[in-house]
């Protein structure tokens, strides 16, 4: 079986991301290689959609390698990133007798990863954390070490940095993901190409059909390259302050769409897809982008079934208001990440908000 492995370089906290078809079955030996002794108890956190498909195979693989495995199933969706569910997982960890040598495994998407990661970060002041992503979007959250839960007053307000010990990415799990979630996951993969790697974008264009069909070898490569781009930016940020901001391509627009749709009609990937198109359009308008960047961005997103049109229920003025709050714009200027070319982006600290509004109004046909 073919496997891709990359290491996220973080000194003592460096960890491997292993990607391949059927890796769930090899979880036991892979955890051992990562330095987790079989004497230690494991707690697998997963959700109601993932558990019926993948919990038993993962448990069986771990038990065969001598681990004692407990599990806890949460409801699917963002509501589970709550203090109440956090307490319930903690209660399970304590009752199961997890100790400082134990590990918490997150089997699922970003929601499970954020919640289980925050439990791992805080249980007995922090124990080992292993991510077993089952969504494509989770390739993004598996690098960077951010874990969090929500407070009724805002998203991700209670959190920590806690790096996983290992990320085990079984690409076969992505086959059962609903199509809309698949597209949303590709949005962040495409974003990593658009930010940093023109040749990766060309490859994503040329292989769009097979990737959309989840060809396992190509998919492993795409996830691997996406993780590499993010990892290189995250590591660079320890010295260079602005690098990490580049990951926000499309996100200032996207977060505003999500907030105004009350996190329902558009999911995160769809919102940033439209946002990346707008960023390209703004960049062409102010003359910082090469010609054709907008059109090529739009075509690429469409190849992966992502929306690129203005969300018609929204008023551009409302979107601008939310964007200004999001990024604390000063004196009529917005800070936006814009493309210069395909594969090259830059943070522009002073973009004229009137111009941004004009572009949005054109897109909205208003
Ligand atoms: P992300 O933030 O990575 O998109 P979520 O945790 O929000 O992940 O998961 C998105 C939805 O997909 C949830 O309803 C989850 O239960 C479901 N899901 C996750 N992985 C799979 C899978 N491999 N097959 C089917 N459904 C899945
Ligand atoms: Zn994102």
């Amino acid at each position: 079986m073919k496997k891709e492995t990359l290491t996220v370089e973080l000194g003592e906290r460096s960890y491997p991301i292993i990607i391949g078809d059927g890796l769930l079955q090899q979880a036991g030996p892979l955890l051992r290689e990562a330095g987790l002794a079989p004497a230690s108890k494991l707690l697998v956190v997963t959700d109601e959609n993932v558990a019926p498909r993948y919990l038993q195979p993962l448990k069986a693989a771990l038990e065969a390698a001598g681990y004692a495995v407990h599990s806890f199933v949460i409801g699917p969706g963002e509501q589970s990133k709550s203090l109440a569910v956090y307490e319930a997982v903690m209660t399970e960890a304590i009752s199961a007798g997890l100790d400082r040598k134990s590990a918490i495994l997150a089997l699922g998407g970003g929601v499970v990863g954020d919640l289980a990661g925050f439990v791992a970060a805080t249980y007995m002041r922090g124990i080992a954390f292993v991510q077993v992503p089952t969504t494509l979007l989770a390739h993004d959250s598996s690098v960077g070490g951010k874990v969090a839960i929500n407070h009724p007053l805002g998203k991700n307000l209670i959190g920590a940095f806690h790096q996983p010990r290992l990320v085990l990415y079984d690409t076969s799990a992505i086959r059962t993901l609903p199509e809309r979630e698949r597209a949303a996951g590709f949005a962040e993969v495409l974003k990593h190409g658009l930010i940093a790697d023109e040749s990766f974008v060309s490859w994503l264009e040329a292989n769009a059909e097979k990737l959309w069909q989840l060809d396992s070898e190509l998919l492993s490569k795409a996830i691997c390259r996406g993780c590499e781009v993010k990892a290189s930016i995250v590591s660079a940020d320890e010295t260079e302050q602005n690098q990490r901001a580049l990951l926000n391509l499309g996100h200032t627009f996207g977060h505003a769409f999500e907030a105004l749709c009350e996190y329902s009609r558009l999911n995160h990937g769809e919102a940033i897809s439209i946002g990346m198109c707008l960023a390209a359009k703004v960049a062409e308008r102010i003359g910082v982008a090469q010609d054709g960047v907008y059109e090529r961005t739009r075509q690429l997103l469409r190849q992966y079934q992502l929306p690129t049109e203005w969300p018609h229920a929204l008023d551009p003025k409302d979107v601008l208001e939310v964007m200004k709050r999001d990024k604390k714009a000063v004196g009529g200027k917005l800070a936006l990440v814009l493309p210069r070319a395909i594969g090259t982006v830059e943070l522009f600290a002073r973009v004229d908000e009137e111009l941004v509004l004009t572009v949005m109004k054109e897109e909205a046909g208003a």
Side-chain angles (χ1 to χ4, degrees):
M1 182 209 313
K2 278 214 155 174
K3 278 192 298 211
E4 303 270 345
T5 302
L6 74 121
T7 305
V8 180
E9 297 291 352
L10 293 163
E12 275 181 9
R13 287 165 299 122
S14 298
Y15 64 91
I17 300 181
I18 307 173
I19 308 156
D21 193 326
L23 280 186
L24 227 50
Q25 275 74 31
Q26 297 177 27
L30 291 171
L31 253 73
R32 279 181 177 226
E33 277 170 35
L36 294 158
S40 45
K41 282 183 182 158
L42 306 176
L43 174 62
V44 180
V45 180
T46 186
D47 77 23
E48 284 165 6
N49 294 326
V50 178
R53 298 177 163 107
Y54 307 111
L55 182 55
Q56 273 319 317
L58 177 62
K59 262 187 139 171
L62 293 167
E63 282 165 354
Y67 291 98
V69 188
H70 296 260
S71 59
F72 192 80
V73 182
I74 63 171
E78 194 71 23
Q79 316 80 273
S80 282
K81 281 173 58 177
S82 67
L83 282 161
V85 178
Y86 168 76
E87 182 177 349
V89 182
M90 275 291 178
T91 304
E92 178 66 27
I94 298 163
S95 328
L98 264 66
D99 60 25
R100 288 191 176 81
K101 291 215 153 50
S102 297
I104 303 224
L105 278 71
L107 172 67
V111 166
V112 170
D114 276 3
L115 171 78
F118 187 58
V119 172
T122 48
Y123 185 74
M124 296 186 165
R125 300 192 186 84
I127 62 171
F129 175 42
V130 174
Q131 268 189 299
V132 188
T134 62
T135 70
L136 195 47
L137 195 59
H139 94 278
D140 185 40
S141 46
S142 67
V143 180
K146 287 185 179 176
V147 294
I149 57 172
N150 302 327
H151 185 276
L153 296 178
K155 283 183 67 154
N156 295 330
L157 290 179
I158 306 164
F161 281 97
H162 193 59
Q163 304 296 341
R165 195 72 73 78
L166 164 72
V167 177
L168 245 183
Y169 221 129
D170 186 341
T171 52
S172 69
I174 293 168
R175 298 202 161 274
T176 57
L177 198 61
E179 271 195 13
R180 199 172 161 190
E181 302 288 341
R182 187 194 311 178
F186 272 116
E188 299 276 5
V189 177
L190 304 180
K191 182 196 79 177
H192 288 127
L194 291 169
I195 286 174
D197 189 347
E198 203 263 344
S199 66
F200 182 37
V201 171
S202 301
W203 182 85
L204 289 163
E205 288 168 337
N207 292 293
E209 223 162 285
K210 282 189 182 161
L211 277 164
W212 180 254
Q213 297 306 328
L214 304 177
D215 174 285
S216 63
E217 217 167 290
L218 294 178
L219 189 60
S220 292
K221 286 211 171 85
I223 291 173
C224 187
R225 187 66 196 125
C227 290
E228 272 171 4
V229 168
K230 178 151 187 200
S232 72
I233 290 176
V234 169
S235 326
D237 201 44
E238 295 190 338
T239 49
E240 236 175 299
Q241 265 312 303
N242 283 331
Q243 282 285 100
R244 204 160 178 151
L246 302 182
L247 295 167
N248 280 332
L249 176 67
H251 279 61
T252 307
F253 292 106
H255 285 152
F257 296 149
E258 283 182 274
L260 289 166
C261 292
E262 287 171 348
Y263 301 98
S264 59
R265 263 173 296 133
L266 286 175
N267 65 33
H268 182 67
E270 293 163 350
I272 67 156
S273 172
I274 304 168
M276 290 191 285
C277 281
L278 280 163
K281 190 130 241 195
V282 168
E284 283 191 2
R285 190 62 56 87
I286 59 179
V288 298
Q290 288 173 356
D291 281 348
V293 167
Y294 167 74
E295 199 44 41
R296 193 167 163 199
T297 303
R298 196 174 73 95
Q299 291 300 343
L300 174 69
L301 294 161
R302 287 169 61 95
Q303 280 186 290
Y304 289 85
Q305 320 288 328
L306 283 157
T308 56
E309 307 286 317
W310 183 264
H312 277 292
L314 299 186
D315 182 336
K317 282 203 197 99
D318 297 340
V319 173
L320 185 66
E321 282 313 305
V322 179
M323 287 170 72
K324 282 159 64 178
R325 251 184 282 145
D326 186 41
K327 289 297 166 213
K328 299 182 189 66
V330 189
K333 306 286 177 191
L334 278 169
L336 284 179
V337 178
L338 301 177
R340 283 218 177 259
I342 297 292
T344 310
V345 297
E346 205 173 303
L347 178 64
F348 290 84
R350 298 170 57 79
V351 182
D352 180 10
E353 65 179 58
E354 280 305 317
L355 182 140
V356 174
L357 185 61
T358 305
V359 169
M360 290 198 291
K361 280 183 175 164
E362 285 170 18
E363 289 294 297

